[in-house]
Structures are given as structure tokens and as C-alpha cells.
Amino acid sequence: MKSNHQPAAQARERTALFARRTGSRQLEEADMAEEVIGGYKLLKHMWTGQTSQLWEVVEPSSGRHFAMKLLLPERVHDPVHRNFLFHEAEVGKELAHPNIIRIVKVDRSANNPFIVMEYFPAGNLRLRIMHKEFDFLREKGHDILKQVATGLAFMHAKGWVHRDVKADNILVASSGDVRIIDFALAQRIPTGLAKFFRRREKPAGTRSYMSPEQIRGQPLDGRADMYSFGAMCYEMVTGRPPFRAATAQELLAKHLTEKPVSPR
């Protein structure tokens, strides 16, 4: 008798393809719920990005809840996105700090790679800014920024620069507790002669927050993150990033040549 069992990765890919044809992301999410991947049961879809999905999962053997980051089916075999996922996991595993999301497990399987991390049920700082939660930000703002700065200082002390500090990558709970996330672009801080012989790189990051040295492709250290942190602070106070422009190149040029308007 032919088995009707289908591996989770194949079922997910089939459902995703059908969902794309019908334009139904909800169908894909509903079909995946209750699947078991790598020993974790998928419970609730949290978000879908350009390359991955995040799910609340439970480990049946312990009853503990975690978050699982899965590559989308069309990205599973893309070496670039696989490497970003694995790099994010490896960096995160080095950074045991209360204000940095904790990475629990990484699975490098060919058909269904994923990372499992601490479950921290909170939206990001960007959402709180967009929703104009001014009372919350006034009350918790100082503590939020202190936690972000402390987490970044720990990351720098461990020899890493984040390279994508922004409100989207700061989870903030209603209590004001903070977790820094997303280490896909994180890079080792060069030391010794490596600072002078490192090749100039293509700029990477988010344009509204990139430091001048990041834009120029120069070797980076924690000061680059502090520039981005400052841009995020500006946005938290004013509701907008420090620079806006009609084109990407114009925006980058403003970081190099202009000063932002005072938030006062």
C-alpha cells in the first residue's frame, strides 16, 4: 500500500507553490500549522519576510515554547540565503546576553534548514513608532535605549559589529524589556593588521541608518553601530529617520555631507 506520508519540507513547498498561484498566503500558513519540523510542532505564524518565515513552536517533549525561523521554499536551496541564516545562528550562539535574542539550535538540512531561538512575544520598536505610542515611548524610552546600548556594547566586546541596527531589529515587550535580533549582516571587527589590509567591501545595511564608513565600504567597528543607534534614537524621538531623500544615492550622500535637523 502506498504511504500518504509526505516529508514536512515537501508538503510546505507544495502548499507554498499553490498559495503563490492562488495568492493565498493565509492558506499556506494554515496548512503548515501543526506540522512537526525537526522535533518542534509549529503553532502560530508570526511573520513572513522576503526570505523567511517566523513561527511560534513548541517542543512536545518539554512543552517549552520557542521561535523558529524557516527559509521560504523558493530560498531553501539558495546558497546565499542559507549562508545568511546559518551565519545569523552562529553569531547569535556566541552572544549570551539578556538583551540579545538567544539562539537555541541551528539545523543545516538540505531541504528544510531552520534556526530555533528564544520565544519573545513582542513587536518591534518600529511598530510602536508607527502606531505613535508616544506615552509608552516617553515612559519606557530611556530604559529601552539603555538596554539596546548595553546589548550592543556586549556584542562589540565579543568582537562583532551588527551592521543593521534599526528599530525593526529591536523587539520591545509591553514591560519595556528589549531583545536585539537579526545578525545576518554581523561582521567580525578587524584587529591588528587586518584593519589595514581588509578589502573594500560593497556597502551593506539599511540606508536610513548606515554610518559614513559603512557607506564607503571601510573596515567597521562598534562606532558604526553607534551611528546607526543614534539614527534610531532620532527616529524614536521625532517619528522619522534623520534623513529622507528621493533616491537611494541621495539618501546615502546626506549621511556623508549633511547634519540632520535638530529634533528640538
Side-chain angles (χ1 to χ4, degrees):
M1 181 176 178
K2 187 176 180 180
S3 171
N4 289 323
H5 175 73
Q6 188 176 25
Q10 294 178 20
R12 182 160 64 95
E13 184 166 6
R14 180 198 62 183
T15 307
L17 289 170
F18 182 79
R20 286 198 298 275
R21 289 173 188 153
T22 61
S24 175
R25 176 67 72 181
Q26 291 76 16
L27 174 62
E28 178 185 353
E29 294 161 4
D31 190 84
M32 286 177 65
E34 299 300 317
E35 273 189 23
V36 176
I37 297 177
Y40 298 87
K41 180 185 287 187
L42 275 61
L43 294 182
K44 180 182 177 183
H45 173 261
M46 298 172 72
W47 58 252
T48 296
Q50 294 182 342
T51 64
S52 60
Q53 283 188 337
L54 191 70
W55 284 78
E56 178 189 353
V57 300
V58 64
E59 185 180 48
S61 61
S62 66
R64 293 183 299 171
H65 287 235
F66 299 96
M68 177 183 284
K69 190 172 187 178
L70 293 158
L71 287 180
L72 294 176
E74 59 268 30
R75 306 292 189 187
V76 164
H77 300 293
D78 185 322
V80 172
H81 294 292
R82 289 177 66 89
N83 287 338
F84 274 133
L85 183 74
F86 300 148
H87 177 70
E88 177 178 358
E90 293 305 320
V91 173
K93 285 168 68 176
E94 289 189 27
L95 303 174
H97 187 275
N99 298 128
I100 297 175
I101 203 75
R102 180 170 57 90
I103 303 297
V104 176
K105 179 181 179 181
V106 55
D107 188 295
R108 299 172 180 269
S109 64
N111 292 322
N112 210 28
F114 62 83
I115 58 177
V116 177
M117 64 192 82
E118 166 190 8
Y119 177 59
F120 189 72
N124 61 41
L125 182 57
R126 156 86 58 234
L127 292 175
R128 295 191 181 276
I129 294 171
M130 286 176 57
H131 295 159
K132 300 182 179 180
E133 298 180 17
F134 299 131
D135 290 342
F136 175 85
L137 294 175
R138 273 193 293 269
E139 179 186 355
K140 304 289 188 181
H142 180 271
D143 193 39
I144 289 169
L145 295 178
K146 181 179 179 181
Q147 291 179 73
V148 176
T150 301
L152 289 174
F154 178 83
M155 190 172 184
H156 300 155
K158 286 290 186 178
W160 291 98
V161 57
H162 189 286
R163 294 207 302 168
D164 203 19
V165 176
K166 57 184 178 181
D168 308 70
N169 288 335
I170 308 298
L171 300 183
V172 182
S174 56
S175 63
D177 287 343
V178 161
R179 296 291 187 276
I180 300 170
I181 63 170
D182 198 347
F183 313 114
L185 295 182
Q187 189 177 75
R188 278 285 182 196
I189 297 174
T191 58
L193 292 177
K195 291 189 288 187
F196 304 100
F197 293 99
R198 196 182 189 104
R199 290 187 305 171
R200 188 176 295 272
E201 299 179 345
K202 183 178 179 181
T206 302
R207 295 184 184 94
S208 292
Y209 308 88
M210 288 171 67
S211 67
E213 59 268 38
Q214 206 167 346
I215 294 168
R216 295 186 181 111
Q218 296 172 336
L220 303 179
D221 58 27
R223 291 172 292 184
D225 282 346
M226 288 299 97
Y227 181 94
S228 303
F229 175 74
M232 187 189 77
C233 293
Y234 185 100
E235 182 180 20
M236 190 171 163
V237 171
T238 65
R240 63 184 187 278
F243 300 114
R244 289 182 285 188
T247 67
Q249 289 305 312
E250 183 184 351
L251 178 57
L252 294 179
K254 286 189 174 185
H255 284 287
L256 300 176
T257 61
E258 295 187 14
K259 292 183 177 180
V261 175
S262 173
R264 293 181 180 275

